[in-house]
Every structure is written in structure tokens, then in C-alpha cells.
Amino acid sequence: MENYLKAVYELEEFQERAATTTALAEKLNVASPSVTAMLKRLSQQEPALVNYTSHRGVTLTEVGRLRALKVIRYHRLIETFLYEVLGYTWDEVHEEAERLEHYISERFEDRLARFLGYPDFDPHGSPIPREDGSVPVSNTLPLHKLEVGRPARVVRVVHERQEVRDYVASLGIVPDATVQVTEVSPFEGPVYVRIGAREGEAVHGLGVNVAGKIEVMPV
Ligand SMILES: [Zn+2]
């Protein structure tokens, strides 16, 4: 249930529109009928956690949004702890946090947040929602909006498709990598990106649709 709420939240956040059953099925790696059944359950809870009408997609209710943010808060606090204290690498923390996020108590959350000094961002650079449900604003920008020639650090790749995230990672576009836009073609044309800040390093062309899902922080 928590994973569904989280998935709806993430789809809404990154696509800026209602999540569809198909997108949820793909994201959660489950069959569409199971998604539909779960969405019905979540919409019939008292209070309802989602607004769901078939063919019109699904949105979170205020109660659902707060629940999703709480799980995301747990997840990102755990990731920060694993990374900063237990010495996990950034690419190891996610899977571990996916499991642990469903099992910690509010007391543990409190202690963890205090221990970590109430961080606003996790090691991926993603904002950690606060207890009141507000979300820290990060000053990242999508790669295609980066000034040409300006080096930036990759904060996170938020594309909803795993294949795209894998492809982008295979080019070396991973959190903490340095990138530089060398050229942006007009009219939604490709964005040319140099991986690494030095002249002579590989330059790759990315569609705006992909570049727009890579969040960077100018350095
Ligand atoms: Zn994660």
C-alpha cells in the first residue's frame, strides 16, 4: 500500500499530471489488474487515500499525500544514514532503504533525524520531506536549462523508465558526476553533454525529454 502511494506521488511529481494505471504497473512491476484492484481499495478507505476513476488516472488525496511523504521521509533518512554512517555507496543505499522504510517506528524516525542533524537532502540530492509534510526546495535545474559551458554536478536522474536511467548511467551520468552542456540545438533538438569537465572527454547527444529528467547543480 505504501509503495503504491509513493509511486503515485513520484509519478505526479515528475510528470506533473495524474498517474495512469499503466505507468503504475510499469513502475511497480505488477500486472495492471492488481494495480486497479489496489487503487479501488485505496480510494474506498476511510479516509480515502487516492482519487481514482478508471480511464482518468489516479491522484493522491491530502491524507494520501501525507502518507506518501512520510514513507519518502523514512526512505531518504535511512539512505542518508546508510551512506553517511554505515559507509554504503550511493548506489547501494536505495535497495536497502526500500525494505527498511516500511519497518521503522516514528520514534526511530525522530532519533534518526536528530542524529543526522535534520538534513534537508539525501545523498542523491533528493529533498527529505519534513515532518509537517513540507518539502525542502532544491536549487537544481534540469540539464537542458544549464548554461552552455558551465560545469555542473549531477544530483539525480528522475526519468520514470528504468531503461532510460540505466542508459544514462552507462554514459557516466550518475550522481556526483560532472557534466557540461556543449550545445543545445533549437526547437527541442538534442542537448550535447560532455561527461567530465575536461576538453576531449566524450560528448553525447540527449533528447530534451531525457535531459529534462536529469537534475544538476551548477558548480
Ligand atoms: Zn532511494
Side-chain angles (χ1 to χ4, degrees):
M1 198 173 90
E2 289 177 337
N3 283 338
Y4 275 82
L5 296 174
K6 207 169 65 160
V8 176
Y9 177 86
E10 287 168 356
L11 288 170
E12 278 184 355
E13 186 186 17
F14 300 133
Q15 303 184 350
E16 289 158 0
R17 58 184 162 81
T20 60
T21 316
T22 321
L24 277 170
E26 195 184 317
K27 193 170 169 62
L28 294 160
N29 204 11
V30 289
S32 291
S34 326
V35 174
T36 310
M38 179 57 108
L39 293 178
K40 280 198 183 124
R41 266 182 61 194
L42 293 173
S43 67
Q44 285 160 6
Q45 296 234 337
E46 221 15 89
L49 298 171
V50 301
N51 303 306
Y52 173 62
T53 359
S54 16
H55 309 298
R56 212 178 274 170
V58 55
T59 55
L60 295 170
T61 62
E62 188 54 19
V63 178
R65 198 181 77 90
L66 288 173
R67 282 282 282 279
L69 285 169
K70 193 153 187 74
V71 185
I72 294 171
R73 175 176 166 77
Y74 286 4
H75 181 100
R76 293 183 179 164
L77 282 173
I78 292 166
E79 285 190 335
T80 309
F81 178 75
L82 295 173
Y83 181 78
E84 286 183 5
V85 184
L86 298 188
Y88 279 64
T89 58
W90 75 264
D91 55 324
E92 289 171 332
V93 297
H94 180 76
E95 210 187 315
E96 201 79 73
E98 281 290 297
R99 281 194 286 266
L100 292 170
E101 67 188 19
H102 307 295
Y103 298 103
I104 70 169
S105 66
E106 286 194 342
R107 179 159 77 173
F108 188 85
E109 169 208 348
D110 267 359
R111 297 279 174 94
L112 191 54
R114 196 195 312 160
F115 178 81
L116 295 169
Y118 302 99
D120 275 340
F121 299 96
D122 75 5
H124 301 299
S126 301
I128 301 176
R130 301 192 186 94
E131 272 193 284
D132 63 3
S134 63
V135 181
V137 179
S138 75
N139 43 358
T140 60
L141 64 163
L143 183 61
H144 67 294
K145 294 279 169 66
L146 183 68
E147 201 184 313
V148 170
R150 175 126 192 226
R153 183 174 65 80
V154 175
V155 173
R156 55 177 184 160
V157 178
V158 297
H159 203 283
E160 56 279 10
R161 284 174 55 199
Q162 181 69 44
E163 308 97 276
V164 177
R165 295 198 301 269
D166 290 344
Y167 169 70
V168 163
S170 77
L171 301 178
I173 302 179
V174 293
D176 283 335
T178 305
V179 292
Q180 204 178 3
V181 171
T182 60
E183 188 188 338
V184 181
S185 304
F187 315 114
E188 310 270 291
V191 178
Y192 293 93
V193 190
R194 177 181 291 132
I195 323 296
R198 267 168 290 143
E199 288 289 323
E201 291 196 68
V203 173
H204 298 277
L206 294 174
V208 169
N209 157 282
V210 173
K213 300 295 174 74
I214 300 170
E215 291 182 10
V216 299
M217 177 99 71
V219 289

